[in-house]
Amino acid sequence: MTLCAAVDSARTAACRDGDAAATLKLISMFVIFFTSVIGISAPVMLARLFHGKPLYDKAILIIKCFAAGVILSTSLVHVLPDAYDALADCQVSSHHPWKDFPFSGLITLIGVLTALLVDLTATSHVDGYSHGHGHGNGNHKEVTGYTRIGEDEEMKKTVVEIETLEAEEERRRVKEEEMVKLKQRMVSQVLEIGIIFHSVIIGVTMGMSQNQCTIKPLVAALAFHQIFEGMGLGGCIAQAGFKFGTTAYMCIMFSITTPMGIALGMLLFSMTGYDDSNPNALIMEGLLGSLSSGILIYMGLVDLIALDFFHNKLMSSETWLKKISFLALVLGSTSMSILALWA
């Protein structure tokens, strides 16, 4: 353990400059904020601009598939490896109980199960809402069994019955659309919670760091990171069709979370002297990162990829759309994965 700590200390000693690191962090707060705004607002604004156009639904679906790739890559390539590395650091893994059990995998599993529980609870709420507001009026009658009085009267009864069936079908269609919309809104909200966890961890970790050699490449990498992640979340928000106030609130929350995390990290360092190499900071980073990773893995696979590729009527009826959507999924995954070279 002593040798490991000595190697780590020697590696970072030349790069530790508190004043230079503070300057870089202040610059990064503004850069990350503006790139976050651009990333999350672009798909939302495009969706409002092209709403009602012939290709609107298909374009939103392709954007959402790109978003699913970004989210899945974020969880598996960025968040989970960082969480594992934090708990595997020699300052943590050399002590009990961290060296006795793979806690990063356990907390990731807890994150997956937590997201599933939230999903089940929200789905039950959606089903209850639809049953309470989408029921029929109970006036449906069978065509057979009427007394034949005359052709005109029978024709009138037949027309009434057809209109009743059409009304029932319309109510059923409206109820299905309402359930889909509520589901999409729930997915967007839970997804934002998982992303906010991740963004806070990134911000606090950078804010507590005094290593300018680590911070410098992170500024540019995190700027692109926030653009892609913002596009992912923005695509889901756009499809959910929130009101303007809710959409603006969700966009603002995503945009300010990482800069606020950086400010919080700087405050914690000034008050406690902890930095990113402190064992307690590494444990907190590893646990929160693992939890966030579990949430994002579940949301990416179940509520984004599986929902669109296996339960979306529009994609099922258009073979070319399914191919383009898969390419968008791969492109989103690839774009986010490449950023792991720097962040």
Side-chain angles (χ1 to χ4, degrees):
M1 182 185 73
T2 305
L3 179 60
C4 179
V7 171
D8 289 342
S9 177
R11 186 179 301 166
T12 59
C15 293
R16 298 186 70 83
D17 186 336
D19 294 335
T23 302
L24 287 172
K25 283 182 278 191
L26 290 174
I27 294 173
S28 68
M29 290 173 64
F30 290 100
V31 172
I32 291 173
F33 172 75
F34 285 114
T35 53
S36 299
V37 170
I38 293 172
I40 195 169
S41 62
V44 174
M45 294 177 65
L46 287 174
R48 290 185 177 274
L49 182 63
F50 291 101
H51 185 71
K53 299 296 193 320
L55 294 178
Y56 171 78
D57 292 333
K58 297 180 178 64
I60 287 294
L61 182 60
I62 293 172
I63 292 174
K64 190 180 176 185
C65 290
F66 178 87
V70 170
I71 299 303
L72 192 61
S73 177
T74 297
S75 60
L76 293 175
V77 182
H78 291 259
V79 187
L80 185 58
D82 289 346
Y84 177 83
D85 289 342
L87 295 180
D89 188 274
C90 59
Q91 299 184 74
V92 177
S93 61
S94 58
H95 296 86
H96 297 288
W98 310 106
K99 69 177 182 179
D100 302 322
F101 193 83
F103 280 95
S104 58
L106 174 64
I107 303 301
T108 300
L109 174 61
I110 291 175
V112 171
L113 296 178
T114 301
L116 174 60
L117 178 62
V118 173
D119 205 353
L120 290 174
T121 304
T123 302
S124 299
H125 176 72
V126 169
D127 291 340
Y129 178 87
S130 64
H131 290 322
H133 292 76
H135 59 274
N137 55 17
N139 292 329
H140 176 70
K141 297 179 181 179
E142 297 291 337
V143 175
T144 58
Y146 287 117
T147 303
R148 190 178 288 273
I149 300 174
E151 292 185 359
D152 291 341
E153 185 175 347
E154 184 177 350
M155 181 66 71
K156 291 179 182 179
K157 291 178 180 180
T158 304
V159 170
V160 170
E161 182 62 27
I162 292 174
E163 290 176 350
T164 302
L165 291 173
E166 291 177 348
E168 288 288 340
E169 183 65 25
E170 179 66 18
R171 277 193 291 270
R172 190 180 299 110
R173 185 186 64 80
V174 171
K175 184 176 72 172
E176 290 178 355
E177 292 179 355
E178 187 178 68
M179 290 181 65
V180 170
K181 190 65 68 176
L182 288 173
K183 175 71 172 180
Q184 290 170 347
R185 291 175 181 176
M186 183 274 297
V187 168
S188 301
Q189 290 168 339
V190 177
L191 184 61
E192 179 157 24
I193 291 172
I195 290 176
I196 283 177
F197 268 127
H198 171 48
S199 298
V200 169
I201 294 166
I202 291 176
V204 172
T205 302
M206 178 183 285
M208 295 175 71
S209 176
Q210 301 302 302
N211 190 328
Q212 62 170 330
C213 298
T214 301
I215 297 173
K216 195 175 295 184
L218 276 178
V219 176
L222 285 178
F224 287 101
H225 180 281
Q226 292 299 103
I227 288 177
F228 286 129
E229 199 169 66
M231 290 176 64
L233 180 59
C236 296
I237 293 174
Q239 189 181 44
F242 289 105
K243 293 181 180 179
F244 176 79
T246 304
T247 301
Y249 173 77
M250 295 180 72
C251 292
I252 291 172
M253 284 299 297
F254 170 79
S255 301
I256 66 174
T257 301
T258 303
M260 286 181 63
I262 296 173
L264 178 61
M266 295 175 69
L267 179 63
L268 288 174
F269 176 78
S270 64
M271 294 176 62
T272 64
Y274 283 1
D275 59 20
D276 59 332
S277 62
N278 185 278
N280 292 331
L282 291 170
I283 291 172
M284 186 62 66
E285 177 186 348
L287 295 179
L288 290 178
S290 299
L291 182 66
S292 174
S293 176
I295 294 173
L296 294 178
I297 288 172
Y298 176 87
M299 299 302 294
L301 289 174
V302 177
D303 283 332
L304 295 179
I305 295 176
L307 191 64
D308 283 335
F309 280 89
F310 297 105
H311 302 288
N312 190 295
K313 295 180 180 179
L314 183 62
M315 189 177 292
S316 300
S317 61
E318 302 282 356
T319 304
W320 67 269
L321 183 60
K322 184 176 292 187
K323 294 178 181 179
I324 294 179
S325 297
F326 182 78
L327 289 176
L329 176 67
V330 173
L331 181 61
S333 302
T334 303
S335 302
M336 203 64 182
S337 298
I338 291 175
L339 287 179
L341 293 171
W342 301 281

